[in-house]
Amino acid sequence: MNYAEIKNCDIANGPGVRISLFVSGCTHHCKNCFNEIAWDFQYGESFTKEVEDKLIAALSPDYIRGLTLLGGEPLEYENQQGLLPFVKRVKQELPTKDIWCFSGYVFDTEIADMCRKWEVTKELLSCLDVLVDGRFVEELKDISLRFRGSSNQRIIDVPESLAAGKIILWQG
């Protein structure tokens, strides 16, 4: 897996001060995507153990609230395989940090289908605290929305949704 960028002290992609990891690779190709350069799976740098170690160190200070996964598309199958060991490590070593993920896939349809096909999806999903789902839709763009680019996107409380068997929106 490759990554396009790491943002330290990010305050735009989830609550509080966060570390944001932008993975490379996306097949959605949303019109007017803000990160079109990250569509290419080969773009950027290799996601290595050394990069993981740097991210763990960056996440460690008390003022850092959590990790945000963006892209590209974190839930592309190739990226799920690269992210799962890392997010499990974050959960183990830094259990007080929350993990947010932004995905163009829709939780209750496309991601549910992935969970039936791939164990890695179920495992990765179980490590997430919040998922912002749905493709960016230019015609629904709304700059007044918190943590979303278009009004079709939802901010989902993943553990509550998994427990309830239905979508529970994050109340933040």
Side-chain angles (χ1 to χ4, degrees):
M1 179 183 88
N2 281 4
Y3 70 96
E5 183 178 6
I6 293 170
K7 284 190 179 178
N8 293 308
C9 297
D10 186 358
I11 58 168
N13 294 303
V17 180
R18 315 186 64 74
I19 305 299
S20 292
L21 171 64
F22 292 78
V23 300
S24 295
C26 182
T27 58
H28 300 310
H29 299 180
C30 300
K31 178 184 171 189
N32 290 324
C33 170
F34 81 98
N35 204 12
E36 188 175 324
I37 197 164
W39 290 355
D40 182 353
F41 285 88
Q42 302 308 310
Y43 179 76
E45 304 291 326
S46 244
F47 191 71
T48 63
K49 172 80 164 65
E50 292 75 25
V51 173
E52 276 192 29
D53 292 343
K54 287 179 185 175
L55 284 167
I56 293 290
L59 281 162
S60 295
D62 289 341
Y63 67 89
I64 300 293
R65 176 148 175 196
L67 171 70
T68 300
L69 307 171
L70 310 99
E73 171 59 69
L75 295 184
E76 294 287 0
Y77 183 70
E78 299 88 335
N79 290 334
Q80 289 184 47
Q81 294 176 65
L83 287 171
L84 179 59
F86 173 61
V87 296
K88 287 170 82 172
R89 182 178 171 197
V90 171
K91 283 295 188 186
Q92 180 180 19
E93 293 182 27
L94 303 165
T96 62
K97 307 297 181 178
D98 63 6
I99 301 177
W100 279 50
C101 180
F102 286 72
S103 175
Y105 292 109
V106 176
F107 185 91
D108 40 346
T109 55
E110 296 164 306
I111 295 172
D113 289 343
M114 288 181 206
C115 286
R116 287 188 281 278
K117 288 194 304 193
W118 305 314
E119 187 64 31
V120 66
T121 307
K122 284 194 290 193
E123 281 191 70
L124 183 58
L125 205 56
S126 74
C127 295
L128 302 178
D129 296 292
V130 174
L131 175 77
V132 179
D133 81 334
R135 288 163 182 77
F136 171 73
V137 177
E138 175 69 26
E139 295 75 26
L140 300 175
K141 181 178 179 178
D142 183 345
I143 61 170
S144 72
L145 296 171
R146 188 173 182 211
F147 308 130
R148 299 176 289 156
S150 57
S151 61
N152 62 299
Q153 297 170 313
R154 302 173 294 182
I155 305 174
I156 299 169
D157 184 317
V158 176
E160 291 292 324
S161 297
L162 293 175
K166 64 179 184 177
I167 299 293
I168 306 292
L169 297 179
W170 177 74
Q171 297 302 312

mmCIF file of all heavy atoms in Angstrom, residues 64-112:
data_model
loop_
_atom_site.group_PDB
_atom_site.id
_atom_site.type_symbol
_atom_site.label_atom_id
_atom_site.label_comp_id
_atom_site.label_asym_id
_atom_site.label_seq_id
_atom_site.Cartn_x
_atom_site.Cartn_y
_atom_site.Cartn_z
ATOM 1 N N ILE A 64 -3.318 15.035 21.028
ATOM 2 C CA ILE A 64 -3.799 14.420 19.788
ATOM 3 C C ILE A 64 -4.994 13.533 20.125
ATOM 4 O O ILE A 64 -4.875 12.586 20.903
ATOM 5 C CB ILE A 64 -2.694 13.587 19.090
ATOM 6 C CG1 ILE A 64 -1.490 14.456 18.733
ATOM 7 C CG2 ILE A 64 -3.253 12.868 17.856
ATOM 8 C CD1 ILE A 64 -1.746 15.499 17.660
ATOM 9 N N ARG A 65 -6.145 13.847 19.535
ATOM 10 C CA ARG A 65 -7.367 13.095 19.847
ATOM 11 C C ARG A 65 -7.443 11.758 19.119
ATOM 12 O O ARG A 65 -7.994 10.798 19.641
ATOM 13 C CB ARG A 65 -8.583 13.941 19.503
ATOM 14 C CG ARG A 65 -9.877 13.205 19.715
ATOM 15 C CD ARG A 65 -10.972 14.070 20.127
ATOM 16 N NE ARG A 65 -12.223 13.322 20.205
ATOM 17 C CZ ARG A 65 -13.395 13.883 20.248
ATOM 18 N NH1 ARG A 65 -13.502 15.187 20.237
ATOM 19 N NH2 ARG A 65 -14.483 13.161 20.321
ATOM 20 N N GLY A 66 -6.925 11.710 17.881
ATOM 21 C CA GLY A 66 -7.046 10.448 17.169
ATOM 22 C C GLY A 66 -6.457 10.470 15.772
ATOM 23 O O GLY A 66 -5.771 11.404 15.364
ATOM 24 N N LEU A 67 -6.763 9.408 15.063
ATOM 25 C CA LEU A 67 -6.280 9.139 13.707
ATOM 26 C C LEU A 67 -7.443 9.248 12.745
ATOM 27 O O LEU A 67 -8.547 8.771 13.033
ATOM 28 C CB LEU A 67 -5.697 7.720 13.654
ATOM 29 C CG LEU A 67 -5.323 7.163 12.287
ATOM 30 C CD1 LEU A 67 -4.101 7.886 11.719
ATOM 31 C CD2 LEU A 67 -5.053 5.664 12.394
ATOM 32 N N THR A 68 -7.190 9.861 11.586
ATOM 33 C CA THR A 68 -8.181 9.897 10.511
ATOM 34 C C THR A 68 -7.580 9.262 9.265
ATOM 35 O O THR A 68 -6.455 9.576 8.887
ATOM 36 C CB THR A 68 -8.626 11.346 10.210
ATOM 37 O OG1 THR A 68 -9.213 11.902 11.397
ATOM 38 C CG2 THR A 68 -9.647 11.380 9.093
ATOM 39 N N LEU A 69 -8.339 8.365 8.653
ATOM 40 C CA LEU A 69 -7.948 7.687 7.416
ATOM 41 C C LEU A 69 -8.756 8.281 6.271
ATOM 42 O O LEU A 69 -9.983 8.314 6.321
ATOM 43 C CB LEU A 69 -8.232 6.182 7.522
ATOM 44 C CG LEU A 69 -7.659 5.469 8.738
ATOM 45 C CD1 LEU A 69 -8.199 4.049 8.825
ATOM 46 C CD2 LEU A 69 -6.136 5.472 8.689
ATOM 47 N N LEU A 70 -8.038 8.764 5.243
ATOM 48 C CA LEU A 70 -8.679 9.345 4.071
ATOM 49 C C LEU A 70 -7.931 8.864 2.832
ATOM 50 O O LEU A 70 -7.047 8.035 2.922
ATOM 51 C CB LEU A 70 -8.620 10.877 4.113
ATOM 52 C CG LEU A 70 -9.055 11.612 5.349
ATOM 53 C CD1 LEU A 70 -7.877 12.001 6.181
ATOM 54 C CD2 LEU A 70 -9.843 12.834 4.961
ATOM 55 N N GLY A 71 -8.246 9.478 1.716
ATOM 56 C CA GLY A 71 -7.537 9.057 0.532
ATOM 57 C C GLY A 71 -7.578 10.071 -0.574
ATOM 58 O O GLY A 71 -7.806 11.232 -0.340
ATOM 59 N N GLY A 72 -7.437 9.445 -1.708
ATOM 60 C CA GLY A 72 -7.679 8.058 -2.102
ATOM 61 C C GLY A 72 -8.914 7.497 -1.400
ATOM 62 O O GLY A 72 -9.817 8.191 -1.004
ATOM 63 N N GLU A 73 -8.893 6.198 -1.271
ATOM 64 C CA GLU A 73 -10.012 5.464 -0.664
ATOM 65 C C GLU A 73 -9.482 4.397 0.288
ATOM 66 O O GLU A 73 -8.963 3.372 -0.152
ATOM 67 C CB GLU A 73 -10.869 4.821 -1.753
ATOM 68 C CG GLU A 73 -11.927 3.865 -1.267
ATOM 69 C CD GLU A 73 -12.934 4.475 -0.307
ATOM 70 O OE1 GLU A 73 -13.733 5.322 -0.753
ATOM 71 O OE2 GLU A 73 -12.923 4.102 0.882
ATOM 72 N N PRO A 74 -9.616 4.621 1.604
ATOM 73 C CA PRO A 74 -9.121 3.640 2.572
ATOM 74 C C PRO A 74 -9.775 2.267 2.442
ATOM 75 O O PRO A 74 -9.147 1.260 2.777
ATOM 76 C CB PRO A 74 -9.469 4.265 3.924
ATOM 77 C CG PRO A 74 -9.624 5.718 3.657
ATOM 78 C CD PRO A 74 -10.121 5.828 2.248
ATOM 79 N N LEU A 75 -11.019 2.211 1.953
ATOM 80 C CA LEU A 75 -11.704 0.924 1.898
ATOM 81 C C LEU A 75 -11.595 0.205 0.558
ATOM 82 O O LEU A 75 -12.286 -0.787 0.340
ATOM 83 C CB LEU A 75 -13.168 1.085 2.326
ATOM 84 C CG LEU A 75 -13.347 1.503 3.794
ATOM 85 C CD1 LEU A 75 -14.818 1.541 4.168
ATOM 86 C CD2 LEU A 75 -12.574 0.618 4.742
ATOM 87 N N GLU A 76 -10.713 0.674 -0.322
ATOM 88 C CA GLU A 76 -10.360 -0.183 -1.467
ATOM 89 C C GLU A 76 -9.726 -1.436 -0.883
ATOM 90 O O GLU A 76 -8.973 -1.367 0.099
ATOM 91 C CB GLU A 76 -9.364 0.517 -2.394
ATOM 92 C CG GLU A 76 -9.898 1.741 -3.105
ATOM 93 C CD GLU A 76 -10.887 1.453 -4.216
ATOM 94 O OE1 GLU A 76 -11.210 0.268 -4.483
ATOM 95 O OE2 GLU A 76 -11.350 2.430 -4.829
ATOM 96 N N TYR A 77 -10.010 -2.582 -1.452
ATOM 97 C CA TYR A 77 -9.539 -3.854 -0.889
ATOM 98 C C TYR A 77 -8.036 -3.851 -0.630
ATOM 99 O O TYR A 77 -7.571 -4.265 0.438
ATOM 100 C CB TYR A 77 -9.929 -5.011 -1.812
ATOM 101 C CG TYR A 77 -9.534 -6.358 -1.274
ATOM 102 C CD1 TYR A 77 -10.194 -6.889 -0.169
ATOM 103 C CD2 TYR A 77 -8.507 -7.091 -1.861
ATOM 104 C CE1 TYR A 77 -9.836 -8.129 0.337
ATOM 105 C CE2 TYR A 77 -8.141 -8.321 -1.355
ATOM 106 C CZ TYR A 77 -8.813 -8.845 -0.257
ATOM 107 O OH TYR A 77 -8.445 -10.066 0.256
ATOM 108 N N GLU A 78 -7.263 -3.334 -1.589
ATOM 109 C CA GLU A 78 -5.809 -3.311 -1.443
ATOM 110 C C GLU A 78 -5.395 -2.468 -0.231
ATOM 111 O O GLU A 78 -4.455 -2.802 0.480
ATOM 112 C CB GLU A 78 -5.132 -2.727 -2.701
ATOM 113 C CG GLU A 78 -5.380 -3.513 -3.970
ATOM 114 C CD GLU A 78 -6.656 -3.099 -4.719
ATOM 115 O OE1 GLU A 78 -7.609 -2.555 -4.096
ATOM 116 O OE2 GLU A 78 -6.713 -3.327 -5.927
ATOM 117 N N ASN A 79 -6.093 -1.373 0.001
ATOM 118 C CA ASN A 79 -5.773 -0.496 1.121
ATOM 119 C C ASN A 79 -6.227 -1.082 2.455
ATOM 120 O O ASN A 79 -5.563 -0.896 3.476
ATOM 121 C CB ASN A 79 -6.360 0.893 0.897
ATOM 122 C CG ASN A 79 -5.654 1.628 -0.219
ATOM 123 O OD1 ASN A 79 -4.493 1.362 -0.517
ATOM 124 N ND2 ASN A 79 -6.346 2.549 -0.858
ATOM 125 N N GLN A 80 -7.349 -1.785 2.453
ATOM 126 C CA GLN A 80 -7.805 -2.432 3.684
ATOM 127 C C GLN A 80 -6.736 -3.377 4.222
ATOM 128 O O GLN A 80 -6.473 -3.403 5.431
ATOM 129 C CB GLN A 80 -9.076 -3.243 3.427
ATOM 130 C CG GLN A 80 -10.302 -2.436 3.166
ATOM 131 C CD GLN A 80 -11.509 -3.329 3.016
ATOM 132 O OE1 GLN A 80 -11.738 -4.233 3.823
ATOM 133 N NE2 GLN A 80 -12.296 -3.082 1.986
ATOM 134 N N GLN A 81 -6.131 -4.120 3.322
ATOM 135 C CA GLN A 81 -5.112 -5.094 3.740
ATOM 136 C C GLN A 81 -3.896 -4.400 4.361
ATOM 137 O O GLN A 81 -3.300 -4.909 5.306
ATOM 138 C CB GLN A 81 -4.683 -5.950 2.550
ATOM 139 C CG GLN A 81 -5.803 -6.829 2.043
ATOM 140 C CD GLN A 81 -5.377 -7.578 0.812
ATOM 141 O OE1 GLN A 81 -4.486 -8.408 0.872
ATOM 142 N NE2 GLN A 81 -5.989 -7.261 -0.315
ATOM 143 N N GLY A 82 -3.537 -3.234 3.851
ATOM 144 C CA GLY A 82 -2.419 -2.485 4.398
ATOM 145 C C GLY A 82 -2.769 -1.764 5.685
ATOM 146 O O GLY A 82 -1.937 -1.620 6.580
ATOM 147 N N LEU A 83 -4.024 -1.313 5.796
ATOM 148 C CA LEU A 83 -4.441 -0.543 6.961
ATOM 149 C C LEU A 83 -4.782 -1.400 8.177
ATOM 150 O O LEU A 83 -4.569 -0.966 9.316
ATOM 151 C CB LEU A 83 -5.649 0.331 6.616
ATOM 152 C CG LEU A 83 -5.370 1.533 5.744
ATOM 153 C CD1 LEU A 83 -6.676 2.196 5.300
ATOM 154 C CD2 LEU A 83 -4.481 2.537 6.468
ATOM 155 N N LEU A 84 -5.309 -2.596 7.963
ATOM 156 C CA LEU A 84 -5.781 -3.394 9.095
ATOM 157 C C LEU A 84 -4.710 -3.628 10.162
ATOM 158 O O LEU A 84 -4.956 -3.347 11.343
ATOM 159 C CB LEU A 84 -6.392 -4.722 8.631
ATOM 160 C CG LEU A 84 -6.891 -5.612 9.769
ATOM 161 C CD1 LEU A 84 -7.965 -4.909 10.607
ATOM 162 C CD2 LEU A 84 -7.400 -6.932 9.219
ATOM 163 N N PRO A 85 -3.510 -4.098 9.814
ATOM 164 C CA PRO A 85 -2.516 -4.296 10.876
ATOM 165 C C PRO A 85 -2.173 -2.996 11.601
ATOM 166 O O PRO A 85 -1.960 -3.003 12.820
ATOM 167 C CB PRO A 85 -1.290 -4.850 10.138
ATOM 168 C CG PRO A 85 -1.796 -5.343 8.837
ATOM 169 C CD PRO A 85 -3.010 -4.526 8.508
ATOM 170 N N PHE A 86 -2.147 -1.899 10.885
ATOM 171 C CA PHE A 86 -1.820 -0.619 11.493
ATOM 172 C C PHE A 86 -2.906 -0.157 12.464
ATOM 173 O O PHE A 86 -2.619 0.240 13.597
ATOM 174 C CB PHE A 86 -1.566 0.444 10.419
ATOM 175 C CG PHE A 86 -1.390 1.824 10.976
ATOM 176 C CD1 PHE A 86 -0.358 2.110 11.864
ATOM 177 C CD2 PHE A 86 -2.260 2.840 10.631
ATOM 178 C CE1 PHE A 86 -0.203 3.386 12.396
ATOM 179 C CE2 PHE A 86 -2.109 4.117 11.160
ATOM 180 C CZ PHE A 86 -1.077 4.388 12.047
ATOM 181 N N VAL A 87 -4.171 -0.202 12.054
ATOM 182 C CA VAL A 87 -5.228 0.271 12.949
ATOM 183 C C VAL A 87 -5.366 -0.645 14.162
ATOM 184 O O VAL A 87 -5.671 -0.173 15.265
ATOM 185 C CB VAL A 87 -6.592 0.504 12.246
ATOM 186 C CG1 VAL A 87 -6.494 1.599 11.216
ATOM 187 C CG2 VAL A 87 -7.148 -0.750 11.657
ATOM 188 N N LYS A 88 -5.100 -1.924 13.983
ATOM 189 C CA LYS A 88 -5.097 -2.833 15.137
ATOM 190 C C LYS A 88 -3.986 -2.437 16.106
ATOM 191 O O LYS A 88 -4.174 -2.459 17.327
ATOM 192 C CB LYS A 88 -4.940 -4.284 14.682
ATOM 193 C CG LYS A 88 -6.205 -4.835 14.037
ATOM 194 C CD LYS A 88 -5.993 -6.163 13.367
ATOM 195 C CE LYS A 88 -6.044 -7.311 14.316
ATOM 196 N NZ LYS A 88 -6.023 -8.620 13.614
ATOM 197 N N ARG A 89 -2.857 -2.070 15.569
ATOM 198 C CA ARG A 89 -1.734 -1.617 16.403
ATOM 199 C C ARG A 89 -2.102 -0.327 17.142
ATOM 200 O O ARG A 89 -1.808 -0.182 18.332
ATOM 201 C CB ARG A 89 -0.497 -1.421 15.531
ATOM 202 C CG ARG A 89 0.719 -0.994 16.306
ATOM 203 C CD ARG A 89 1.934 -0.858 15.411
ATOM 204 N NE ARG A 89 3.016 -0.246 16.177
ATOM 205 C CZ ARG A 89 4.093 0.304 15.654
ATOM 206 N NH1 ARG A 89 4.273 0.299 14.333
ATOM 207 N NH2 ARG A 89 5.004 0.844 16.430
ATOM 208 N N VAL A 90 -2.740 0.605 16.448
ATOM 209 C CA VAL A 90 -3.167 1.847 17.091
ATOM 210 C C VAL A 90 -4.121 1.526 18.240
ATOM 211 O O VAL A 90 -3.967 2.055 19.355
ATOM 212 C CB VAL A 90 -3.827 2.825 16.086
ATOM 213 C CG1 VAL A 90 -4.468 4.014 16.794
ATOM 214 C CG2 VAL A 90 -2.808 3.296 15.058
ATOM 215 N N LYS A 91 -5.094 0.670 18.005
ATOM 216 C CA LYS A 91 -6.057 0.300 19.043
ATOM 217 C C LYS A 91 -5.370 -0.354 20.241
ATOM 218 O O LYS A 91 -5.748 -0.118 21.385
ATOM 219 C CB LYS A 91 -7.136 -0.635 18.480
ATOM 220 C CG LYS A 91 -8.176 0.059 17.655
ATOM 221 C CD LYS A 91 -8.992 1.008 18.493
ATOM 222 C CE LYS A 91 -10.158 1.587 17.756
ATOM 223 N NZ LYS A 91 -10.867 2.603 18.516
ATOM 224 N N GLN A 92 -4.365 -1.167 19.973
ATOM 225 C CA GLN A 92 -3.660 -1.864 21.047
ATOM 226 C C GLN A 92 -2.739 -0.922 21.829
ATOM 227 O O GLN A 92 -2.754 -0.897 23.058
ATOM 228 C CB GLN A 92 -2.852 -3.022 20.483
ATOM 229 C CG GLN A 92 -2.094 -3.788 21.552
ATOM 230 C CD GLN A 92 -1.299 -4.939 20.985
ATOM 231 O OE1 GLN A 92 -1.005 -4.997 19.800
ATOM 232 N NE2 GLN A 92 -0.943 -5.867 21.850
ATOM 233 N N GLU A 93 -1.939 -0.135 21.112
ATOM 234 C CA GLU A 93 -0.930 0.693 21.762
ATOM 235 C C GLU A 93 -1.471 2.028 22.267
ATOM 236 O O GLU A 93 -0.921 2.602 23.214
ATOM 237 C CB GLU A 93 0.245 0.943 20.808
ATOM 238 C CG GLU A 93 1.027 -0.314 20.493
ATOM 239 C CD GLU A 93 2.223 -0.068 19.586
ATOM 240 O OE1 GLU A 93 2.781 1.061 19.591
ATOM 241 O OE2 GLU A 93 2.594 -1.006 18.858
ATOM 242 N N LEU A 94 -2.524 2.531 21.634
ATOM 243 C CA LEU A 94 -3.083 3.844 21.991
ATOM 244 C C LEU A 94 -4.612 3.742 22.107
ATOM 245 O O LEU A 94 -5.344 4.349 21.321
ATOM 246 C CB LEU A 94 -2.686 4.882 20.939
ATOM 247 C CG LEU A 94 -1.183 5.054 20.709
ATOM 248 C CD1 LEU A 94 -0.903 5.805 19.424
ATOM 249 C CD2 LEU A 94 -0.547 5.757 21.899
ATOM 250 N N PRO A 95 -5.100 2.967 23.065
ATOM 251 C CA PRO A 95 -6.546 2.677 23.130
ATOM 252 C C PRO A 95 -7.443 3.880 23.392
ATOM 253 O O PRO A 95 -8.653 3.796 23.143
ATOM 254 C CB PRO A 95 -6.648 1.649 24.266
ATOM 255 C CG PRO A 95 -5.424 1.864 25.095
ATOM 256 C CD PRO A 95 -4.353 2.337 24.143
ATOM 257 N N THR A 96 -6.893 4.994 23.850
ATOM 258 C CA THR A 96 -7.735 6.172 24.093
ATOM 259 C C THR A 96 -7.935 7.022 22.840
ATOM 260 O O THR A 96 -8.751 7.950 22.848
ATOM 261 C CB THR A 96 -7.130 7.061 25.202
ATOM 262 O OG1 THR A 96 -5.859 7.540 24.777
ATOM 263 C CG2 THR A 96 -6.997 6.290 26.511
ATOM 264 N N LYS A 97 -7.214 6.718 21.766
ATOM 265 C CA LYS A 97 -7.338 7.499 20.524
ATOM 266 C C LYS A 97 -8.498 6.958 19.700
ATOM 267 O O LYS A 97 -8.681 5.742 19.572
ATOM 268 C CB LYS A 97 -6.043 7.420 19.697
ATOM 269 C CG LYS A 97 -4.783 7.802 20.461
ATOM 270 C CD LYS A 97 -4.782 9.237 20.939
ATOM 271 C CE LYS A 97 -3.491 9.553 21.675
ATOM 272 N NZ LYS A 97 -3.412 10.937 22.108
ATOM 273 N N ASP A 98 -9.282 7.860 19.117
ATOM 274 C CA ASP A 98 -10.357 7.399 18.237
ATOM 275 C C ASP A 98 -9.853 7.332 16.793
ATOM 276 O O ASP A 98 -8.861 7.965 16.438
ATOM 277 C CB ASP A 98 -11.619 8.251 18.373
ATOM 278 C CG ASP A 98 -11.446 9.704 17.961
ATOM 279 O OD1 ASP A 98 -10.375 10.072 17.446
ATOM 280 O OD2 ASP A 98 -12.395 10.483 18.156
ATOM 281 N N ILE A 99 -10.532 6.523 16.003
ATOM 282 C CA ILE A 99 -10.160 6.352 14.598
ATOM 283 C C ILE A 99 -11.369 6.687 13.725
ATOM 284 O O ILE A 99 -12.421 6.064 13.847
ATOM 285 C CB ILE A 99 -9.653 4.927 14.302
ATOM 286 C CG1 ILE A 99 -8.424 4.612 15.166
ATOM 287 C CG2 ILE A 99 -9.335 4.776 12.809
ATOM 288 C CD1 ILE A 99 -7.882 3.202 14.998
ATOM 289 N N TRP A 100 -11.168 7.676 12.868
ATOM 290 C CA TRP A 100 -12.164 8.085 11.886
ATOM 291 C C TRP A 100 -11.708 7.604 10.512
ATOM 292 O O TRP A 100 -10.504 7.530 10.236
ATOM 293 C CB TRP A 100 -12.284 9.601 11.844
ATOM 294 C CG TRP A 100 -13.141 10.197 12.911
ATOM 295 C CD1 TRP A 100 -13.089 9.960 14.257
ATOM 296 C CD2 TRP A 100 -14.171 11.164 12.711
ATOM 297 N NE1 TRP A 100 -14.018 10.711 14.899
ATOM 298 C CE2 TRP A 100 -14.695 11.467 13.987
ATOM 299 C CE3 TRP A 100 -14.681 11.806 11.594
ATOM 300 C CZ2 TRP A 100 -15.736 12.384 14.154
ATOM 301 C CZ3 TRP A 100 -15.701 12.728 11.757
ATOM 302 C CH2 TRP A 100 -16.229 13.000 13.029
ATOM 303 N N CYS A 101 -12.676 7.321 9.654
ATOM 304 C CA CYS A 101 -12.378 6.929 8.277
ATOM 305 C C CYS A 101 -13.368 7.617 7.349
ATOM 306 O O CYS A 101 -14.572 7.629 7.621
ATOM 307 C CB CYS A 101 -12.482 5.409 8.149
ATOM 308 S SG CYS A 101 -12.144 4.782 6.490
ATOM 309 N N PHE A 102 -12.850 8.180 6.266
ATOM 310 C CA PHE A 102 -13.678 8.771 5.221
ATOM 311 C C PHE A 102 -13.672 7.821 4.030
ATOM 312 O O PHE A 102 -12.602 7.469 3.528
ATOM 313 C CB PHE A 102 -13.121 10.136 4.792
ATOM 314 C CG PHE A 102 -13.364 11.231 5.784
ATOM 315 C CD1 PHE A 102 -12.669 11.281 6.979
ATOM 316 C CD2 PHE A 102 -14.297 12.226 5.517
ATOM 317 C CE1 PHE A 102 -12.883 12.298 7.892
ATOM 318 C CE2 PHE A 102 -14.528 13.252 6.429
ATOM 319 C CZ PHE A 102 -13.821 13.285 7.621
ATOM 320 N N SER A 103 -14.862 7.413 3.597
ATOM 321 C CA SER A 103 -14.959 6.473 2.484
ATOM 322 C C SER A 103 -16.069 6.890 1.530
ATOM 323 O O SER A 103 -17.133 7.341 1.958
ATOM 324 C CB SER A 103 -15.263 5.063 3.010
ATOM 325 O OG SER A 103 -15.479 4.179 1.932
ATOM 326 N N GLY A 104 -15.821 6.696 0.256
ATOM 327 C CA GLY A 104 -16.853 6.924 -0.744
ATOM 328 C C GLY A 104 -17.869 5.795 -0.797
ATOM 329 O O GLY A 104 -18.935 5.937 -1.396
ATOM 330 N N TYR A 105 -17.548 4.667 -0.176
ATOM 331 C CA TYR A 105 -18.495 3.550 -0.136
ATOM 332 C C TYR A 105 -19.591 3.821 0.884
ATOM 333 O O TYR A 105 -19.365 4.485 1.893
ATOM 334 C CB TYR A 105 -17.766 2.245 0.200
ATOM 335 C CG TYR A 105 -16.844 1.782 -0.895
ATOM 336 C CD1 TYR A 105 -15.467 1.841 -0.737
ATOM 337 C CD2 TYR A 105 -17.347 1.293 -2.096
ATOM 338 C CE1 TYR A 105 -14.606 1.424 -1.743
ATOM 339 C CE2 TYR A 105 -16.502 0.875 -3.116
ATOM 340 C CZ TYR A 105 -15.129 0.946 -2.934
ATOM 341 O OH TYR A 105 -14.292 0.533 -3.941
ATOM 342 N N VAL A 106 -20.774 3.285 0.639
ATOM 343 C CA VAL A 106 -21.932 3.483 1.513
ATOM 344 C C VAL A 106 -21.998 2.326 2.513
ATOM 345 O O VAL A 106 -21.942 1.152 2.136
ATOM 346 C CB VAL A 106 -23.229 3.590 0.679
ATOM 347 C CG1 VAL A 106 -24.449 3.705 1.573
ATOM 348 C CG2 VAL A 106 -23.134 4.787 -0.262
ATOM 349 N N PHE A 107 -22.105 2.685 3.791
ATOM 350 C CA PHE A 107 -22.027 1.740 4.901
ATOM 351 C C PHE A 107 -23.000 0.572 4.779
ATOM 352 O O PHE A 107 -22.603 -0.587 4.870
ATOM 353 C CB PHE A 107 -22.274 2.494 6.217
ATOM 354 C CG PHE A 107 -22.105 1.665 7.450
ATOM 355 C CD1 PHE A 107 -20.882 1.586 8.084
ATOM 356 C CD2 PHE A 107 -23.179 0.994 8.013
ATOM 357 C CE1 PHE A 107 -20.714 0.830 9.237
ATOM 358 C CE2 PHE A 107 -23.029 0.238 9.162
ATOM 359 C CZ PHE A 107 -21.795 0.156 9.783
ATOM 360 N N ASP A 108 -24.293 0.872 4.615
ATOM 361 C CA ASP A 108 -25.309 -0.175 4.707
ATOM 362 C C ASP A 108 -25.553 -0.931 3.403
ATOM 363 O O ASP A 108 -26.355 -1.873 3.387
ATOM 364 C CB ASP A 108 -26.628 0.370 5.271
ATOM 365 C CG ASP A 108 -26.999 1.741 4.759
ATOM 366 O OD1 ASP A 108 -26.156 2.436 4.157
ATOM 367 O OD2 ASP A 108 -28.161 2.141 4.972
ATOM 368 N N THR A 109 -24.859 -0.585 2.350
ATOM 369 C CA THR A 109 -24.988 -1.346 1.097
ATOM 370 C C THR A 109 -23.620 -1.874 0.665
ATOM 371 O O THR A 109 -23.308 -3.044 0.855
ATOM 372 C CB THR A 109 -25.641 -0.501 -0.011
ATOM 373 O OG1 THR A 109 -24.902 0.715 -0.189
ATOM 374 C CG2 THR A 109 -27.098 -0.186 0.321
ATOM 375 N N GLU A 110 -22.785 -0.991 0.143
ATOM 376 C CA GLU A 110 -21.499 -1.427 -0.409
ATOM 377 C C GLU A 110 -20.555 -2.004 0.652
ATOM 378 O O GLU A 110 -19.927 -3.047 0.435
ATOM 379 C CB GLU A 110 -20.813 -0.261 -1.128
ATOM 380 C CG GLU A 110 -21.608 0.230 -2.332
ATOM 381 C CD GLU A 110 -21.163 1.596 -2.805
ATOM 382 O OE1 GLU A 110 -21.131 2.537 -1.978
ATOM 383 O OE2 GLU A 110 -20.844 1.722 -4.009
ATOM 384 N N ILE A 111 -20.448 -1.343 1.792
ATOM 385 C CA ILE A 111 -19.547 -1.841 2.838
ATOM 386 C C ILE A 111 -20.118 -3.118 3.448
ATOM 387 O O ILE A 111 -19.371 -4.062 3.743
ATOM 388 C CB ILE A 111 -19.266 -0.756 3.896
ATOM 389 C CG1 ILE A 111 -18.508 0.409 3.238
ATOM 390 C CG2 ILE A 111 -18.474 -1.330 5.077
ATOM 391 C CD1 ILE A 111 -18.329 1.633 4.114
ATOM 392 N N ALA A 112 -21.428 -3.189 3.601
ATOM 393 C CA ALA A 112 -22.062 -4.423 4.085
ATOM 394 C C ALA A 112 -21.762 -5.587 3.133
ATOM 395 O O ALA A 112 -21.461 -6.702 3.584
ATOM 396 C CB ALA A 112 -23.572 -4.222 4.229
#
